Amino acid sequence: HVQLVESGGGSVQAGGSLRLSCTASGYTFSVDCMGWFRQAPGKEREGVARITTGGGSTWYADSVKGRFTISRDNAKNTVHLQMNNLKPDDTALYYCMARPGDCPGKVLAYNYWGQGTQVTVS
């Protein structure tokens, strides 16, 4: 059993920054990949960034490259998403997701979901 808890969302003006955090608890040995996904009103959930917990390999959506950075703190079973130069299009509910094995971009491949944290950019 793995639980994911997100934090760090909020409301900022365009150009501002936020730092999201996701902490995994429970049987974290089964977590090899953690990623951030987001869902805006009227849109499907999309991948934002992901990272392998072992090797630290990262992937980013084209829309956030150069602005967002995902990192990990394995000692705390935590991943962070540093979001800089935020844009109104970044407004969405951000979810932390995790899975064992590999680190794909498909949303449905993920076993564990967080509750989500709201990011609003105006």
Side-chain angles (χ1 to χ4, degrees):
H1 180 70
V2 175
Q3 292 177 298
L4 304 175
V5 179
E6 305 103 325
S7 63
S11 181
V12 299
Q13 294 185 343
S17 298
L18 286 172
R19 183 172 182 261
L20 306 184
S21 298
C22 173
T23 298
S25 62
Y27 191 67
T28 56
F29 298 106
S30 65
V31 175
D32 298 306
C33 172
M34 297 181 71
W36 290 95
F37 298 77
R38 66 187 182 187
Q39 187 167 23
K43 296 183 178 180
E44 295 184 348
R45 190 171 299 180
E46 63 176 347
V48 177
R50 57 193 192 273
I51 187 170
T52 58
T53 58
S57 299
T58 59
W59 297 263
Y60 296 93
D62 289 342
S63 60
V64 306
K65 287 180 179 177
R67 299 189 297 121
F68 292 8
T69 302
I70 189 169
S71 61
R72 74 191 198 279
D73 184 345
N74 287 343
K76 298 182 179 180
N77 295 313
T78 298
V79 295
H80 304 283
L81 185 68
Q82 179 65 45
M83 305 185 295
N84 297 326
N85 192 24
L86 284 161
K87 303 176 181 180
D89 285 348
D90 296 318
T91 296
L93 189 63
Y94 283 69
Y95 296 91
C96 179
M97 296 185 171
R99 61 163 284 128
D102 58 1
C103 211
K106 189 174 179 61
V107 172
L108 294 179
Y110 287 77
N111 306 75
Y112 311 113
W113 300 35
Q115 82 286 354
T117 185
Q118 179 67 39
V119 172
T120 301
V121 184
S122 61

